[in-house]
PDB file of all heavy atoms in Angstrom:
ATOM      1  N   SER A  47     -65.632 -11.799  10.680  1.00  0.00           N
ATOM      2  CA  SER A  47     -66.629 -12.336   9.762  1.00  0.00           C
ATOM      3  C   SER A  47     -66.083 -13.545   9.005  1.00  0.00           C
ATOM      4  O   SER A  47     -66.791 -14.541   8.803  1.00  0.00           O
ATOM      5  CB  SER A  47     -67.074 -11.250   8.780  1.00  0.00           C
ATOM      6  OG  SER A  47     -68.133 -11.711   7.968  1.00  0.00           O
ATOM      7  N   LEU A  48     -64.821 -13.471   8.593  1.00  0.00           N
ATOM      8  CA  LEU A  48     -64.212 -14.609   7.889  1.00  0.00           C
ATOM      9  C   LEU A  48     -64.188 -15.842   8.787  1.00  0.00           C
ATOM     10  O   LEU A  48     -64.531 -16.947   8.358  1.00  0.00           O
ATOM     11  CB  LEU A  48     -62.790 -14.257   7.446  1.00  0.00           C
ATOM     12  CG  LEU A  48     -62.611 -13.144   6.410  1.00  0.00           C
ATOM     13  CD1 LEU A  48     -61.149 -13.009   6.026  1.00  0.00           C
ATOM     14  CD2 LEU A  48     -63.461 -13.393   5.172  1.00  0.00           C
ATOM     15  N   ARG A  49     -63.774 -15.640  10.025  1.00  0.00           N
ATOM     16  CA  ARG A  49     -63.710 -16.785  10.944  1.00  0.00           C
ATOM     17  C   ARG A  49     -65.104 -17.348  11.214  1.00  0.00           C
ATOM     18  O   ARG A  49     -65.306 -18.571  11.206  1.00  0.00           O
ATOM     19  CB  ARG A  49     -63.049 -16.387  12.261  1.00  0.00           C
ATOM     20  CG  ARG A  49     -62.910 -17.559  13.237  1.00  0.00           C
ATOM     21  CD  ARG A  49     -62.214 -17.172  14.517  1.00  0.00           C
ATOM     22  NE  ARG A  49     -63.005 -16.242  15.315  1.00  0.00           N
ATOM     23  CZ  ARG A  49     -62.645 -15.817  16.529  1.00  0.00           C
ATOM     24  NH1 ARG A  49     -61.509 -16.244  17.069  1.00  0.00           N
ATOM     25  NH2 ARG A  49     -63.398 -14.969  17.199  1.00  0.00           N
ATOM     26  N   ALA A  50     -66.073 -16.468  11.457  1.00  0.00           N
ATOM     27  CA  ALA A  50     -67.426 -16.938  11.762  1.00  0.00           C
ATOM     28  C   ALA A  50     -68.019 -17.693  10.578  1.00  0.00           C
ATOM     29  O   ALA A  50     -68.691 -18.724  10.747  1.00  0.00           O
ATOM     30  CB  ALA A  50     -68.310 -15.755  12.132  1.00  0.00           C
ATOM     31  N   TYR A  51     -67.788 -17.184   9.366  1.00  0.00           N
ATOM     32  CA  TYR A  51     -68.358 -17.799   8.166  1.00  0.00           C
ATOM     33  C   TYR A  51     -67.738 -19.169   7.865  1.00  0.00           C
ATOM     34  O   TYR A  51     -68.336 -20.000   7.182  1.00  0.00           O
ATOM     35  CB  TYR A  51     -68.168 -16.869   6.966  1.00  0.00           C
ATOM     36  CG  TYR A  51     -69.038 -17.184   5.772  1.00  0.00           C
ATOM     37  CD1 TYR A  51     -70.322 -16.666   5.687  1.00  0.00           C
ATOM     38  CD2 TYR A  51     -68.575 -17.993   4.738  1.00  0.00           C
ATOM     39  CE1 TYR A  51     -71.130 -16.942   4.595  1.00  0.00           C
ATOM     40  CE2 TYR A  51     -69.378 -18.278   3.640  1.00  0.00           C
ATOM     41  CZ  TYR A  51     -70.657 -17.751   3.585  1.00  0.00           C
ATOM     42  OH  TYR A  51     -71.458 -18.032   2.491  1.00  0.00           O
ATOM     43  N   ALA A  52     -66.550 -19.406   8.393  1.00  0.00           N
ATOM     44  CA  ALA A  52     -65.879 -20.689   8.142  1.00  0.00           C
ATOM     45  C   ALA A  52     -66.676 -21.859   8.695  1.00  0.00           C
ATOM     46  O   ALA A  52     -66.559 -22.991   8.214  1.00  0.00           O
ATOM     47  CB  ALA A  52     -64.481 -20.673   8.752  1.00  0.00           C
ATOM     48  N   GLY A  53     -67.524 -21.612   9.709  1.00  0.00           N
ATOM     49  CA  GLY A  53     -68.352 -22.685  10.256  1.00  0.00           C
ATOM     50  C   GLY A  53     -67.674 -23.432  11.386  1.00  0.00           C
ATOM     51  O   GLY A  53     -66.467 -23.330  11.603  1.00  0.00           O
ATOM     52  N   GLU A  54     -68.479 -24.183  12.111  1.00  0.00           N
ATOM     53  CA  GLU A  54     -68.001 -24.879  13.307  1.00  0.00           C
ATOM     54  C   GLU A  54     -66.854 -25.829  13.022  1.00  0.00           C
ATOM     55  O   GLU A  54     -65.883 -25.916  13.768  1.00  0.00           O
ATOM     56  CB  GLU A  54     -69.164 -25.643  13.961  1.00  0.00           C
ATOM     57  CG  GLU A  54     -70.232 -24.758  14.583  1.00  0.00           C
ATOM     58  CD  GLU A  54     -69.712 -23.972  15.774  1.00  0.00           C
ATOM     59  OE1 GLU A  54     -68.740 -24.445  16.411  1.00  0.00           O
ATOM     60  OE2 GLU A  54     -70.260 -22.899  16.057  1.00  0.00           O
ATOM     61  N   GLU A  55     -66.948 -26.577  11.909  1.00  0.00           N
ATOM     62  CA  GLU A  55     -65.947 -27.610  11.640  1.00  0.00           C
ATOM     63  C   GLU A  55     -64.575 -27.019  11.326  1.00  0.00           C
ATOM     64  O   GLU A  55     -63.542 -27.609  11.656  1.00  0.00           O
ATOM     65  CB  GLU A  55     -66.402 -28.491  10.475  1.00  0.00           C
ATOM     66  CG  GLU A  55     -67.628 -29.339  10.797  1.00  0.00           C
ATOM     67  CD  GLU A  55     -68.025 -30.228   9.634  1.00  0.00           C
ATOM     68  OE1 GLU A  55     -67.303 -30.233   8.618  1.00  0.00           O
ATOM     69  OE2 GLU A  55     -69.053 -30.905   9.744  1.00  0.00           O
ATOM     70  N   LEU A  56     -64.560 -25.862  10.682  1.00  0.00           N
ATOM     71  CA  LEU A  56     -63.292 -25.286  10.244  1.00  0.00           C
ATOM     72  C   LEU A  56     -62.768 -24.202  11.186  1.00  0.00           C
ATOM     73  O   LEU A  56     -61.590 -23.844  11.126  1.00  0.00           O
ATOM     74  CB  LEU A  56     -63.447 -24.688   8.838  1.00  0.00           C
ATOM     75  CG  LEU A  56     -63.707 -25.682   7.706  1.00  0.00           C
ATOM     76  CD1 LEU A  56     -64.056 -24.953   6.423  1.00  0.00           C
ATOM     77  CD2 LEU A  56     -62.460 -26.558   7.490  1.00  0.00           C
ATOM     78  N   ARG A  57     -63.638 -23.679  12.052  1.00  0.00           N
ATOM     79  CA  ARG A  57     -63.262 -22.540  12.879  1.00  0.00           C
ATOM     80  C   ARG A  57     -62.070 -22.840  13.783  1.00  0.00           C
ATOM     81  O   ARG A  57     -61.286 -21.951  14.113  1.00  0.00           O
ATOM     82  CB  ARG A  57     -64.466 -22.105  13.714  1.00  0.00           C
ATOM     83  CG  ARG A  57     -64.353 -20.700  14.280  1.00  0.00           C
ATOM     84  CD  ARG A  57     -65.643 -20.286  14.950  1.00  0.00           C
ATOM     85  NE  ARG A  57     -66.770 -20.321  14.025  1.00  0.00           N
ATOM     86  CZ  ARG A  57     -68.034 -20.151  14.371  1.00  0.00           C
ATOM     87  NH1 ARG A  57     -68.337 -19.951  15.651  1.00  0.00           N
ATOM     88  NH2 ARG A  57     -69.002 -20.189  13.475  1.00  0.00           N
ATOM     89  N   GLU A  58     -61.926 -24.101  14.193  1.00  0.00           N
ATOM     90  CA  GLU A  58     -60.818 -24.451  15.083  1.00  0.00           C
ATOM     91  C   GLU A  58     -59.462 -24.252  14.420  1.00  0.00           C
ATOM     92  O   GLU A  58     -58.431 -24.165  15.099  1.00  0.00           O
ATOM     93  CB  GLU A  58     -60.948 -25.916  15.525  1.00  0.00           C
ATOM     94  CG  GLU A  58     -60.826 -26.910  14.379  1.00  0.00           C
ATOM     95  CD  GLU A  58     -60.968 -28.348  14.844  1.00  0.00           C
ATOM     96  OE1 GLU A  58     -59.964 -28.892  15.333  1.00  0.00           O
ATOM     97  OE2 GLU A  58     -62.081 -28.890  14.727  1.00  0.00           O
ATOM     98  N   HIS A  59     -59.462 -24.141  13.099  1.00  0.00           N
ATOM     99  CA  HIS A  59     -58.204 -23.952  12.369  1.00  0.00           C
ATOM    100  C   HIS A  59     -57.872 -22.473  12.157  1.00  0.00           C
ATOM    101  O   HIS A  59     -56.850 -22.159  11.532  1.00  0.00           O
ATOM    102  CB  HIS A  59     -58.268 -24.648  11.006  1.00  0.00           C
ATOM    103  CG  HIS A  59     -58.457 -26.126  11.093  1.00  0.00           C
ATOM    104  ND1 HIS A  59     -57.467 -26.990  11.495  1.00  0.00           N
ATOM    105  CD2 HIS A  59     -59.559 -26.898  10.838  1.00  0.00           C
ATOM    106  CE1 HIS A  59     -57.915 -28.231  11.484  1.00  0.00           C
ATOM    107  NE2 HIS A  59     -59.192 -28.213  11.084  1.00  0.00           N
ATOM    108  N   VAL A  60     -58.734 -21.578  12.646  1.00  0.00           N
ATOM    109  CA  VAL A  60     -58.548 -20.134  12.427  1.00  0.00           C
ATOM    110  C   VAL A  60     -58.184 -19.457  13.733  1.00  0.00           C
ATOM    111  O   VAL A  60     -58.846 -19.641  14.754  1.00  0.00           O
ATOM    112  CB  VAL A  60     -59.831 -19.488  11.852  1.00  0.00           C
ATOM    113  CG1 VAL A  60     -59.580 -18.002  11.574  1.00  0.00           C
ATOM    114  CG2 VAL A  60     -60.276 -20.197  10.585  1.00  0.00           C
ATOM    115  N   GLU A  61     -57.134 -18.671  13.687  1.00  0.00           N
ATOM    116  CA  GLU A  61     -56.729 -17.866  14.843  1.00  0.00           C
ATOM    117  C   GLU A  61     -56.676 -16.408  14.406  1.00  0.00           C
ATOM    118  O   GLU A  61     -56.267 -16.104  13.283  1.00  0.00           O
ATOM    119  CB  GLU A  61     -55.358 -18.315  15.344  1.00  0.00           C
ATOM    120  CG  GLU A  61     -54.926 -17.643  16.631  1.00  0.00           C
ATOM    121  CD  GLU A  61     -53.624 -18.226  17.175  1.00  0.00           C
ATOM    122  OE1 GLU A  61     -53.525 -19.469  17.285  1.00  0.00           O
ATOM    123  OE2 GLU A  61     -52.706 -17.424  17.467  1.00  0.00           O
TER     124      GLU A  61
END
Side-chain angles (χ1 to χ4, degrees):
S47 186
L48 295 184
R49 182 178 67 176
Y51 197 86
E54 291 294 334
E55 293 182 4
L56 293 171
R57 198 173 301 172
E58 64 180 278
H59 298 287
V60 183
E61 186 174 310

